[in-house]
Amino acid sequence: MISIDWELLHQEAKTIMARSYSPYSKFPVGVAALVTDGRIVTGTNVENASYGLGLCAECGLVSNLIASGGGRLVAAVCVDSNGAFLSPCGRCRQLLFEHGGNDLLFMTPDGPLPMSNLLPWAFGPEDLGITP
Ligand code: THU
């Protein structure tokens, strides 16, 4: 069982949050996640003048996960500009579920919670007969 350094994940999420491109919402977000092989992948939100095209921090994280070799997500921390734990939006829960499944742990103000709590009875690859 891989050990989770929550403090390090929190720090990495804050570091990437500071690189956010969010001139429209002025709501920087950072997310960091531990991968099964021990890597840490991160992402930050990237907005656009065409507002609806903005990318959530979790989109960047998933992109970085795949681009850096893939693997399964084990634990994640998402933060706002104060470094406070942020709840991922619904779309991002689905994005993360694809790469971490029900057991992916998410840090909340009440401690870590599994994805199965954040996105109960999720639709996923297995519903399409695919084992990720
Ligand atoms: N945002 C994220 O990056 N992730 C979330 O899970 C929630 C929302 C971003 C999108 C937008 O750039 C800003 O936060 C305000 O909604």
Side-chain angles (χ1 to χ4, degrees):
M1 183 77 178
I2 188 166
S3 84
I4 302 167
D5 187 339
W6 288 107
E7 203 40 61
L8 180 59
L9 286 176
H10 193 192
Q11 194 48 56
E12 293 286 332
K14 287 189 277 189
T15 299
I16 194 76
M17 176 275 295
R19 296 189 203 141
S20 163
Y21 178 75
S22 46
Y24 306 106
S25 72
K26 299 186 170 35
F27 191 85
V29 177
V31 62
L34 176 67
V35 186
T36 35
D37 66 2
R39 252 152 68 233
I40 289 179
V41 289
T42 60
T44 190
N45 53 335
V46 179
E47 298 182 347
N48 193 280
S50 180
Y51 295 167
L53 301 186
L55 302 173
C56 279
E58 295 86 340
C59 296
L61 180 143
V62 166
S63 211
N64 286 333
L65 169 72
I66 299 305
S68 64
R72 299 288 288 169
L73 300 173
V74 176
V77 174
C78 187
V79 296
D80 66 14
S81 63
N82 299 314
F85 300 131
L86 191 68
S87 177
C89 77
R91 180 176 185 270
C92 290
R93 292 175 196 213
Q94 182 71 31
L95 283 181
L96 295 170
F97 176 77
E98 178 84 14
H99 301 282
N102 281 318
D103 296 333
L104 169 57
L105 291 172
F106 238 93
M107 186 49 87
T108 80
D110 299 323
L113 277 184
M115 182 59 92
S116 53
N117 280 42
L118 272 66
L119 191 67
W121 199 42
F123 175 81
E126 272 132 15
D127 292 298
L128 300 174
I130 307 245
T131 307

